Amino acid sequence: MKQRLLLVLLALFTSIGLVKAQTIGNGVVKLTIPKGKTVTITFNSGGASGTGYTTNSENEATITGLNSTGSSLTISADESHKNNDSYTAVFYSGAYTSMTIGTGATSVELSGNYTWPLKTLNIASGNLTSLALGEAHANLESLTIGANKLLKVSAKTEKMKIYSIDTQSP
């Protein structure tokens, strides 16, 4: 009964503007990983949720360690899958404010039209050729990208206190 009352009050206060609603958990992180590679992603807290995704099960990467409170997950593009050269993995954002993507991915895309809690994004050196930050770019206070193969890198915003981009060699 108390939970219902709290939900009704929250809805009422939100509708009249006393409480500002913030959607968390609807963002999507999509990575493309070459066959035989593994990528480790770490979070400061809050973890992530979701599963490997693809339109074709032969192109699905394996995700382990993925849960709502974990501080890391591992994504592997298994050699045993069919003749695909790369695999796609998708997971949903969590309440984390810091994410580090290790070496291995060739493409990283953050999407979802909502307020991302992400403040710090670190991407290791490697073979990254595509990076799309979407709505998450506006809230970043720190963006660090190692040496990769990016043709385009997101611009520094006024909010960013740290903006460190290594040489990109497309």
Side-chain angles (χ1 to χ4, degrees):
M1 186 66 171
K2 288 181 183 179
Q3 287 178 332
R4 286 186 196 168
L5 178 60
L6 288 173
L7 286 173
V8 169
L9 287 173
L10 179 61
L12 175 66
F13 291 150
T14 301
S15 68
I16 61 174
L18 292 176
V19 176
K20 190 173 185 179
Q22 181 181 21
T23 305
I24 296 180
N26 291 331
V28 174
V29 181
K30 178 179 176 181
L31 292 97
T32 302
I33 304 162
K35 184 176 184 175
K37 297 289 183 180
T38 297
V39 177
T40 299
I41 300 168
T42 55
F43 311 96
N44 62 330
S45 65
S49 62
T51 60
Y53 165 84
T54 184
T55 55
N56 168 346
S57 63
E58 296 174 357
N59 196 33
E60 187 169 322
T62 303
I63 300 178
T64 58
L66 187 61
N67 59 60
S68 60
T69 59
S71 61
S72 70
L73 63 93
T74 301
I75 304 171
S76 299
D78 194 331
E79 290 272 4
S80 67
H81 285 287
K82 303 285 180 181
N83 295 322
N84 298 320
D85 292 330
S86 64
Y87 298 85
T88 302
V90 172
F91 60 93
Y92 303 100
S93 68
Y96 51 84
T97 58
S98 176
M99 178 170 61
T100 299
I101 301 173
T103 301
T106 57
S107 173
V108 174
E109 177 185 350
L110 281 62
S111 62
N113 189 14
Y114 86 112
T115 304
W116 280 78
L118 188 64
K119 301 289 182 206
T120 301
L121 177 61
N122 299 307
I123 300 174
S125 296
N127 293 315
L128 191 66
T129 58
S130 175
L131 175 63
L133 298 179
E135 297 291 323
H137 183 254
N139 289 328
L140 286 176
E141 294 175 2
S142 174
L143 177 61
T144 303
I145 302 173
N148 282 282
K149 298 179 178 182
L150 294 170
L151 289 172
K152 179 181 171 187
V153 177
S154 298
K156 182 178 182 180
T157 65
E158 288 185 25
K159 277 189 174 183
M160 287 185 194
K161 298 171 184 148
I162 298 171
Y163 183 78
S164 175
I165 312 297
D166 282 352
T167 303
Q168 303 300 304
S169 303

